[in-house]
Each structure stands twice: as structure tokens, then as C-alpha cells.
Amino acid sequence: MKKYILLFTILFSSYSFSQYCAFFDFKAEEPEMVVSALKGMMETEWAKNIEGSKSLFAYQFNGTNQATHSVQFCFPNEAAFANFSNSWFMSSVAQVFGEKLNRYITPVNTALNTPVWYKNDWTPDQVFFIYEMEVSDPATYVKEFADFSQKLATSLGYENNSYGVGYPISGKKADFSHFVWVGAPDLETALSRTKQMYSTPEFAKYSAKVSGIRKVVNTYMMVRIADF
């Protein structure tokens, strides 16, 4: 019962300033054409009225993830996402550009993700390490990750970058239930910090504590290509 109470508390505190990110993952063999099509779409009045951020990311060394890129829309609340979703189907401009974009991509997966717990705004970060996991005890796992990540934030220098635990509230794939992200200002910093993290005693202790409740199924880097 205590675990359920803890999970409710975590979710409630997160939803009090909730954010939602819609991921449209795809495979692209002509990225330059994708950027061109997206730029045209984002210059329309329809896109300018979206209440949220609009970004293109590239997946690098992405393990079993078949996607090469992701277009992501992040929203400050439920109403902002609902307005976006409704406007997509009602806007002829959006549909035309959507059809143009589909000429250059192969859709892989769509998901609406939300954070369970996190620190700091992720929009300034340029590179993210992503860890996809199957978690059997979310309340305990989130507590352990929060304790671990905050202890290392200062020593590894990411106290001003974003890091947290999220999950697909819709569009969940069978192989994972949650994901962890850690942001960085550039690729070099992301690699250096990750390498240092793996060698710390704190990481060994954290891994031992959560080994029975989570299984890492995929890791990859997500690099910001453009904001619109």
C-alpha cells in the first residue's frame, strides 16, 4: 500500500506542472528533404499557432530502434495538446504538408510521452542519452533514480541540464514501459559524463538496488537537429 501511495504522490506532483511530448519516429534516407518539408510546414499559420515546442531530432547508435529521426511536439498541458490534435485533422494546410513529408519518410512509431519525475527544462539541451526499460515496480524505481541522479548531478556537472523518468502514456511498445533521459549541451559532454557515470561507486550501488525491478532493453543518443 505504501508503494501505491508513493506512486500517486509522485504522479500528482508531476501532473501539477505536467507536460506532454508527442514523438513521431520515422526512417529517412533523404534527411535534407525532410528538413525542407518540415521547414515549410512550420512556417504556416497553423504551425505558428501550436502552443508548444517543435523540434527535429536524429537518433544515433540507436540499438534496436529502427527509426533514424523523430519530430517532436512538446506541450505545457492537456489543453495545448488537445488543441494541436484537433487542429491537425481540421487543417487542410497541415494535411497537405503531411502528405508531402510522407514522400520522404517511413513511419516507425508514434507515442505520447509524459514525465513521471524530472529536473530542469529539457528544451535547451542538445543531446540526450535515452535508456528504455521494462520496470515492474515504478514507484520504487523512480525513487531510486531520483536519489541517484541528484547525487551525481553536481559531481558530473549536469545539475543545470534535464534528467528524469518518463513513459508512453499512449503508444506504448511491447518491449519497454519507461525510459530515462539525461540531457547535455553537446555530444562530447554527453559521452564524457556517461562514461564517468558508469565508473562511479554510486552507479554500482544504484544498479544493484534496481536490478530486480528494471531491465534495460535499449540505449541510444538523441541529437537535436532543428527547432522550429
Side-chain angles (χ1 to χ4, degrees), residues 2-224:
K2 290 181 179 179
K3 290 181 179 179
Y4 287 112
I5 293 174
L6 175 61
L7 178 59
F8 176 79
T9 301
I10 292 171
L11 289 173
F12 181 81
S13 62
S14 178
Y15 283 162
S16 65
F17 50 94
S18 61
Q19 297 191 40
Y20 298 86
C21 283
F23 282 32
F24 297 87
D25 294 349
F26 58 90
K27 183 177 181 179
E29 296 182 358
E30 297 181 84
E32 67 282 358
M33 300 304 296
V34 173
V35 172
S36 177
L38 281 173
K39 188 173 183 296
M41 177 185 288
M42 298 309 174
E43 290 175 348
T44 66
E45 287 302 313
W46 168 79
K48 292 177 182 179
N49 288 327
I50 294 175
E51 185 185 356
S53 62
K54 306 174 284 289
S55 304
L56 172 66
F57 290 88
Y59 290 136
Q60 295 189 1
F61 300 96
N62 51 340
T64 59
N65 187 353
Q66 297 300 309
T68 61
H69 294 78
S70 180
V71 174
Q72 300 177 9
F73 299 87
C74 290
F75 309 94
N77 51 49
E78 293 84 354
F81 170 74
N83 290 336
F84 162 79
S85 182
N86 292 333
S87 70
W88 172 264
F89 294 105
M90 296 175 62
S91 171
S92 59
V93 173
Q95 295 301 311
V96 168
F97 274 100
E99 291 177 2
K100 181 179 179 180
L101 184 61
N102 283 335
R103 300 174 192 169
Y104 308 111
I105 68 173
T106 301
V108 174
N109 189 64
T110 62
L112 180 62
N113 299 311
T114 189
V116 180
W117 177 91
Y118 72 97
K119 285 287 188 178
N120 304 323
D121 180 12
W122 53 73
T123 54
D125 293 331
Q126 300 300 305
V127 180
F128 300 85
F129 258 90
I130 309 292
Y131 305 81
E132 296 178 341
M133 307 166 296
E134 185 64 39
V135 178
S136 59
D137 185 347
T140 299
Y141 178 77
V142 171
K143 179 181 181 303
E144 293 295 343
F145 176 80
D147 291 344
F148 158 72
S149 59
Q150 290 180 101
K151 287 177 183 177
L152 282 190
T154 301
S155 61
L156 294 186
Y158 63 83
E159 67 271 23
N160 294 322
N161 296 110
S162 66
Y163 53 99
V165 182
Y167 69 98
I169 197 169
S170 182
K172 178 187 177 300
K173 294 191 291 186
D175 53 355
F176 75 96
S177 62
H178 293 73
F179 60 89
V180 160
W181 79 90
V182 181
D186 52 60
L187 187 58
E188 181 179 2
T189 302
L191 289 170
S192 175
R193 289 176 180 172
T194 303
K195 185 177 181 180
Q196 292 178 60
M197 178 192 71
Y198 284 140
S199 65
T200 63
E202 290 83 1
F203 179 76
K205 293 177 183 178
Y206 156 75
S207 297
K209 286 182 178 180
V210 301
S211 62
I213 60 173
R214 73 96 169 91
K215 176 183 178 182
V216 178
V217 298
N218 197 30
T219 63
Y220 53 89
M221 290 183 288
M222 190 170 74
V223 180
R224 192 184 300 273

